[in-house]
Amino acid sequence: MPNPAPLPPYYLQQADCSRHTIFPGVDIFTAAGENLMISIVELQPNSVVEPHSHPHEQMGILLEGEFTFTIGGHTKKITPGEIWRIPSNVVHSVVNGPKFSKAIDVFCPVREDYR
Amino acid sequence: MPNPAPLPPYYLQQADCSRHTIFPGVDIFTAAGENLMISIVELQPNSVVEPHSHPHEQMGILLEGEFTFTIGGHTKKITPGEIWRIPSNVVHSVVNGPKFSKAIDVFCPVREDYR
């Protein structure tokens, strides 16, 4: 009889997260729950998240730096503390500014490609 | 014929969020999507989030300050950048340290009581 699945750890450091380079100069560090995923996003100066979409709902907040977000054709310069809200399947992209930026993104459901 | 529901705004400031004082000295600023909710949590020195649970899955990250989290009976001092992951219905509580702390919490599904 198989053992039950191990309880996921309650506490994690960024170093415990899964790291993916999703675009040149754009690294993410992800932690998955059951239906939620948190992603710490680090963007090198002038890096670009190309336009894309996914069925997963996405929200996020900028912690550090400054970048330009485009969601569903609406473009806005984002400064720390600002929140974005991307409904399922809406095309979005980011152009980072001349400094390093750091953001938190969250997804529902879990992005299997980012585990 | 009713108009279609307005499109939720893609971009928000903390000042656009709903504010709730959930425990003495603990204020949250929330933004809801369809299945996701982001909450900016501000904890005054030595404030306490009493033990509680909810069916909503919760994850979060500490941005500033230091506090002690207890999740499912496991207690840990949390410093900035650390992530927590609280499965559905697991009891959790927080005791803030002697400084102001700021965190991000995310919930799935949306907490109707925090809209």
Side-chain angles (χ1 to χ4, degrees):
Chain A
M1 197 169 75
N3 288 320
L7 190 69
Y10 294 142
Y11 305 107
L12 301 96
Q13 312 275 349
Q14 184 168 339
D16 301 321
C17 292
S18 299
R19 180 177 181 157
H20 302 267
T21 300
I22 59 168
F23 290 96
V26 182
D27 291 309
I28 63 171
F29 302 80
T30 65
E34 189 178 3
N35 294 303
L36 276 176
M37 174 174 267
I38 283 191
S39 173
I40 300 169
V41 187
E42 295 187 347
L43 301 105
Q44 298 304 316
N46 306 307
S47 58
V48 174
V49 175
E50 300 286 355
H52 67 289
S53 67
H54 39 73
H56 315 69
E57 187 183 359
Q58 180 178 344
M59 295 181 73
I61 184 167
L62 183 59
L63 302 183
E64 177 185 340
E66 187 174 282
F67 55 46
T68 302
F69 225 128
T70 300
I71 304 174
H74 297 262
T75 296
K76 186 178 188 308
K77 183 171 283 191
I78 306 290
T79 57
E82 285 190 85
I83 292 169
W84 49 93
R85 187 154 58 172
I86 307 170
S88 177
N89 295 315
V90 172
V91 174
H92 51 287
S93 58
V94 176
V95 178
N96 194 28
K99 294 184 182 171
F100 173 82
S101 294
K102 188 167 186 171
I104 302 295
D105 268 320
V106 293
F107 299 98
C108 176
V110 171
R111 288 198 62 168
E112 294 297 332
D113 52 339
Y114 285 176
R115 274 191 193 271
Chain B
M1 198 170 71
N3 289 322
L7 190 69
Y10 294 142
Y11 305 107
L12 300 97
Q13 312 274 349
Q14 184 168 337
D16 301 321
C17 292
S18 299
R19 180 178 181 156
H20 301 267
T21 300
I22 59 167
F23 291 96
V26 182
D27 291 310
I28 62 170
F29 302 80
T30 66
E34 189 178 3
N35 294 301
L36 276 177
M37 174 173 268
I38 283 190
S39 173
I40 300 169
V41 187
E42 294 186 348
L43 301 105
Q44 298 304 317
N46 306 309
S47 59
V48 174
V49 176
E50 301 286 353
H52 68 288
S53 67
H54 39 72
H56 314 70
E57 187 184 358
Q58 178 177 347
M59 294 180 73
I61 184 168
L62 183 59
L63 302 183
E64 180 185 339
E66 186 174 283
F67 55 46
T68 301
F69 225 128
T70 300
I71 305 174
H74 297 263
T75 296
K76 187 178 189 304
K77 184 171 280 190
I78 306 290
T79 57
E82 285 190 84
I83 292 169
W84 49 91
R85 188 156 57 172
I86 307 170
S88 175
N89 295 316
V90 173
V91 175
H92 52 286
S93 59
V94 176
V95 177
N96 194 27
K99 295 184 181 171
F100 172 82
S101 293
K102 188 168 186 170
I104 302 294
D105 269 321
V106 293
F107 299 99
C108 175
V110 170
R111 287 197 63 166
E112 295 298 331
D113 51 339
Y114 285 176
R115 274 191 192 271

